[in-house]
Amino acid sequence: MKSVKKANFHTHTTFCDGRSSAEEMVQSAIAKGFDLLGFSSHCMYPFSSSWHIPVNNVEAYCAEIRRLKEACKDKIEISLGFEADYIPNITCPDKNADYRDFQPDFLIGSVHYIVKEGGHFTVDDSADSVRANIAKFYTRNGDWSTLDSRSYIHDYFEAERLMLEKGNFDIIGHPDLIRMRNCRLGIFNENDSFYKEEVKLTADAIARAGVIAEINTGAIARGNMDALYPSDYFLGLLFERGVPVCINSDAHDAKNLDAAFDRAAETAKKTGYKELSYPSAGRIEHIKI
C-alpha cells in the first residue's frame, strides 16, 4: 500500500447515531484522499441505547464494514472498530471480553456516562439536560449555591482512569469531553488547580495504559465548542509523558470526515508532536505531521 498520509479512526454511521451510511462514509473518505478509515460506531455490548448499535444489529454492522473493506481494498484500507463505552460495573472496552467474538481491528474506549446512586447521565447531552442532572446529583435540592463542582469533575475523570486500568483498547476517545457543555454552563474553571490535578492524574493513567490519545475535532464540526479535545494544557501533559496521538473527526456526517484536521495538526505540531499514530492490521501506522 502507498505511504499513509491521511487517516480517521473515529467514524459513526446510521448503525448508531450517525447521519451517513457506512458506504457514504467510505465514498467521502476516498474523495477526500484518505488512506485509512476506521469505523467506530457507538457500542456498549451486550447492552444498547437509542444512540448505540442495537445488540441484535452488531453482527450486521460488522458484516457491512467487512464487505466494504473487501470491496474497496484497492482504494482505501478500512478497519472495523467500536467506540465502546465504559460504564462502571456494567460494561468496559475490552477486546478480550465482550468484543472478542466480533474480532474488531481496534477499539476506542470512551466515557460519556457518569453513574450516581439513583441514576446516571451523559456529560455531552444537551446543555439543559446536563445542567438539570448536575443540579440533581451535585447540589442540595437544586440550590446552586451548594454546587459541588469538584465531585462532578472527579467523577468524570475517575471513570476514565478506571476504564484505563480495567480495559483493553487502542485509543482513548475525547479524554476531556466534560468540557463540551461547560463552555455554556460555566460549572468549573479549567485553570483551577483542582481541575488541573485531575487532568494530570488522567494523563498519567493514559501513559500507563499505553493507548493512543485522540485529538478530536468533533465539537468544532458540530458547533458545540470552538476547541479541540483534549485542551492545549492536557495535550501538553500527554506530550511530556510520551503518549502517542492521532487526529480523529468523530464524524457523524460524511461531509465532516476531515473537519478541522489542519487546525488539529497545527496544534499537535506546536505542542511538539512530529507524527500521528493509528492502529492498523496489527501494527501501528505513523503519519508525519
Side-chain angles (χ1 to χ4, degrees), residues 243-256:
V243 174
V245 296
C246 61
I247 294 174
N248 285 333
S249 62
D250 199 348
H252 287 65
D253 190 309
K255 68 184 179 184
N256 292 329

Side-chain angles (χ1 to χ4, degrees), residues 7-206:
N8 179 66
F9 269 52
H10 198 150
T11 312
H12 296 288
T13 70
T14 49
F15 279 99
C16 57
D17 63 345
R19 290 179 291 279
S20 299
S21 69
E23 186 153 1
E24 288 170 334
M25 285 294 191
V26 171
Q27 294 306 318
S28 177
I30 293 170
K32 291 175 179 291
F34 278 88
D35 302 293
L36 299 176
L37 180 65
F39 282 95
S40 57
S41 280
H42 289 292
C43 197
M44 56 177 178
Y45 192 84
F47 306 101
S48 62
S49 77
S50 61
W51 52 280
H52 291 81
I53 307 174
V55 171
N56 60 3
N57 243 16
V58 175
E59 290 283 6
Y61 164 74
C62 294
E64 175 64 359
I65 303 310
R66 291 190 174 113
R67 181 189 73 81
L68 291 166
K69 186 175 187 175
E70 177 62 24
C72 301
K73 64 184 179 183
D74 294 333
K75 297 179 181 179
I76 190 169
E77 183 177 318
I78 294 173
S79 291
L80 166 66
F82 299 93
E83 182 179 13
D85 259 292
Y86 174 74
I87 305 175
N89 301 315
I90 297 176
T91 181
C92 184
D94 190 334
K95 290 187 290 186
N96 296 327
D98 291 332
Y99 295 88
R100 179 180 55 197
D101 290 345
F102 305 113
Q103 298 184 317
D105 298 310
F106 73 100
L107 282 187
I108 296 176
S110 293
V111 171
H112 297 88
Y113 289 90
I114 288 180
V115 178
K116 301 292 286 182
E117 185 177 349
H120 62 270
F121 68 102
T122 56
V123 298
D124 61 336
D125 202 349
S126 70
D128 288 343
S129 177
V130 172
R131 188 179 192 279
N133 278 293
I134 290 172
K136 177 180 179 180
F137 294 113
Y138 296 100
T139 70
R140 292 198 295 273
N141 301 317
D143 178 358
W144 282 93
S145 69
T146 66
L147 173 65
D148 186 0
S149 60
R150 287 192 173 198
S151 290
Y152 174 51
I153 295 164
H154 174 78
D155 287 348
Y156 172 77
F157 285 114
E158 177 67 5
E160 285 203 323
R161 293 191 289 267
L162 288 170
M163 175 182 72
L164 289 156
E165 177 186 334
K166 297 178 179 181
N168 177 17
F169 54 94
D170 304 280
I171 300 170
I172 182 168
H174 38 59
D176 49 5
L177 183 65
I178 194 173
R179 293 168 53 232
M180 189 177 87
R181 295 308 182 193
N182 194 58
C183 60
R184 174 176 164 185
L185 298 177
I187 301 299
F188 57 84
N189 185 337
E190 290 182 46
N191 292 316
D192 284 348
S193 59
F194 180 83
Y195 182 87
K196 286 187 170 183
E197 183 59 27
E198 289 286 336
V199 170
K200 284 181 182 178
L201 291 171
T202 307
D204 290 339
I206 293 171

